[in-house]
Amino acid sequence: MQEEMGYRNIKLMQNLATQGRITTKRGETRSFDPMQFSMLLTMAAESFDWPLDAAAKKNGALPRIYRRGWLYMARALGMTITDSMDEVEVIGNEPRAPKLELKAMQRLSSTAKKLEKAGLIKCLRRGNSQKRNNAVWLLTIGTSEENAEVEAYVRSRLRL
């Protein structure tokens, strides 16, 4: 039986939350950070589990990799829904809210830095808006040995 994409990743990140690894400092205490959790949950759901199943391996899937970009994530998290049609512009035949998109992407970028600092994600390749390339993010949600194994596998496939 083939598991759905990201199922095991989501279970791992839920365990990280239970262990208090998805937190932010508020005053003198640390508390659960719903934005970090939402972002990591989206990344986990959109990436292949490790180890890869036979079909995913055959198709060249990359485990624990998120590369859909911040705009995709902003939309997935409902961060670009407008309160007013005055905020909407047609860009490339698509209704969009550029001010909301920019604000959402800035917030996601800031949240990614927190996740990176916590050792839960790692940027393997920076994005380039001129080339329309999204960054490549590795979810480092396993043990240190497992994370090293996944990273080596992904780097060899991406020739990094």
Side-chain angles (χ1 to χ4, degrees), residues 52-61 153:
L52 292 171
D53 62 32
K57 199 170 207 173
K58 182 180 175 195
N59 291 328
Y153 180 86

Side-chain angles (χ1 to χ4, degrees), residues 26-37:
R26 298 192 201 289
E28 294 299 313
T29 62
R30 295 196 89 38
S31 73
F32 175 75
D33 188 322
M35 187 63 196
Q36 287 184 55
F37 184 82

Side-chain angles (χ1 to χ4, degrees), residues 48-68:
F48 286 92
D49 291 317
W50 178 260
L52 292 171
D53 62 32
K57 199 170 207 173
K58 182 180 175 195
N59 291 328
L62 298 173
R64 296 191 186 156
I65 289 293
Y66 178 81
R67 57 177 167 188
R68 290 197 169 219

